[in-house]
Amino acid sequence: AVTSTSTAYPIYVSGDAPVGGENYITNNLIYNINSNGTIYAIYDLGANGSYYYNNTISLDDATATGGTTRAFYQSSLSTNSAFINNNISVERGGSGVKHGIYLNATTTSINVDYNNVYMNSAGTGAQSYGYFGANMVDLAAWQAGTTYGTNSYEVDPRFVNPANDDFTPNQALINAVGLSVPQVTTDFFGNPWGANPDIGAIEFTPPPVDNVGLSALIAPIESTDTCYGASNDVIVELLNAGGTVIDFRICLSYPFP
């Protein structure tokens, strides 16, 4: 098991850039940071002229036992800056507090929108979509408490195979809904973006529109429910991996001997 408690700032931006000479931090893939220490995936020291476009951040080490987690952290106000089209997933375990977006100064003028922030830690530490003068637990609170996030999302990106370093999303809701920016014309692999880019660093094609399947058996539980009666409930979880909301009803009756 990884026991390091070292602090990690994979991307740390401290210098200001002049108008016309802005810094663009784009198409980065931050993942596989396994430790029990503090992690700020992108640390912005109030750097004027810094634009963060189309980055994917996966802080998903479920075995972590501690450490503060912030996917994007800005320590002080900045001008002429933006955090747009970024895909964030935080499922890191442990007792440390966790934030998707943390803006330490309410006087900052950074533009924050068209992002996806998925907070799904099973750890004991409090988790919030963002911080802006106070913790904002989810996207609805973030939109209500700030001027940010009008075009943002809060969904599981459904990475294809994180164990094999494949962080291609499989979530139709974040396909082709990003903001087109002239500085980013290709993705992490050099594939061209469409007229509306996907959220994150990787261009992808979503699964078919009607794509519903069984994702989990909730009950009965084999390890504990060892004796069944004449009538037992079977509870399953269905997953719609397609891009369209499906309205349906299931009526099922199956006689067991």
Side-chain angles (χ1 to χ4, degrees):
V2 176
T3 59
S4 171
T5 56
S6 298
T7 297
Y9 304 146
I11 295 179
Y12 185 91
V13 181
S14 60
D16 294 333
V19 175
E22 290 82 359
N23 292 320
Y24 293 93
I25 300 92
T26 67
N27 283 341
N28 294 287
L29 180 55
I30 302 174
Y31 69 101
N32 202 27
I33 305 175
N34 301 324
S35 77
N36 297 319
T38 293
I39 301 173
Y40 294 1
I42 298 179
Y43 191 135
D44 178 286
L45 204 67
N48 297 331
S50 295
Y51 286 76
Y52 304 89
Y53 291 148
N54 290 98
N55 300 287
T56 291
I57 300 171
S58 173
L59 304 178
D60 292 336
D61 177 18
T63 66
T65 59
T68 300
T69 305
R70 289 165 183 166
F72 177 73
Y73 175 76
Q74 186 180 66
S75 64
S76 57
L77 68 88
S78 72
T79 60
N80 185 29
S81 56
F83 186 76
I84 288 174
N85 293 346
N86 300 285
N87 193 10
I88 294 171
S89 175
V90 178
E91 296 188 86
R92 189 182 187 213
S95 58
V97 295
K98 302 165 184 69
H99 294 85
I101 300 171
Y102 196 105
L103 305 179
N104 197 46
T106 56
T107 53
T108 187
S109 60
I110 188 173
N111 183 12
V112 180
D113 204 357
Y114 295 91
N115 301 298
N116 179 53
V117 177
Y118 179 62
M119 306 295 296
N120 189 41
S121 171
T124 58
Q127 57 185 330
S128 301
Y129 185 101
Y131 178 91
F132 188 72
N135 290 322
M136 314 288 179
V137 65
D138 54 21
L139 176 58
W142 180 252
Q143 292 171 332
T146 74
T147 58
Y148 304 125
T150 302
N151 303 287
S152 292
Y153 294 83
E154 185 181 26
V155 294
D156 183 353
R158 299 176 187 163
F159 296 129
V160 169
N161 195 344
N164 287 325
D165 301 336
D166 186 351
F167 288 88
T168 304
N170 201 22
Q171 171 58 265
L173 293 176
I174 59 174
N175 175 63
V177 294
L179 179 67
S180 180
V181 292
Q183 295 82 9
V184 187
T185 57
T186 59
D187 76 346
F188 179 83
F189 295 106
N191 299 313
W193 290 117
N196 293 104
D198 303 330
I199 291 179
I202 301 175
E203 161 72 16
F204 72 101
T205 301
V209 172
D210 296 330
N211 188 16
V212 177
L214 178 65
S215 64
L217 174 63
I218 307 301
I221 302 173
E222 183 179 3
S223 61
T224 58
D225 300 332
T226 56
C227 184
Y228 308 111
S231 177
N232 294 91
D233 291 334
V234 176
I235 304 174
V236 299
E237 180 180 276
L238 298 178
L239 173 65
N240 176 16
T244 301
V245 174
I246 300 176
D247 186 9
F248 65 94
R249 181 177 61 181
I250 296 176
C251 296
L252 179 64
S253 178
Y254 190 87
F256 290 90

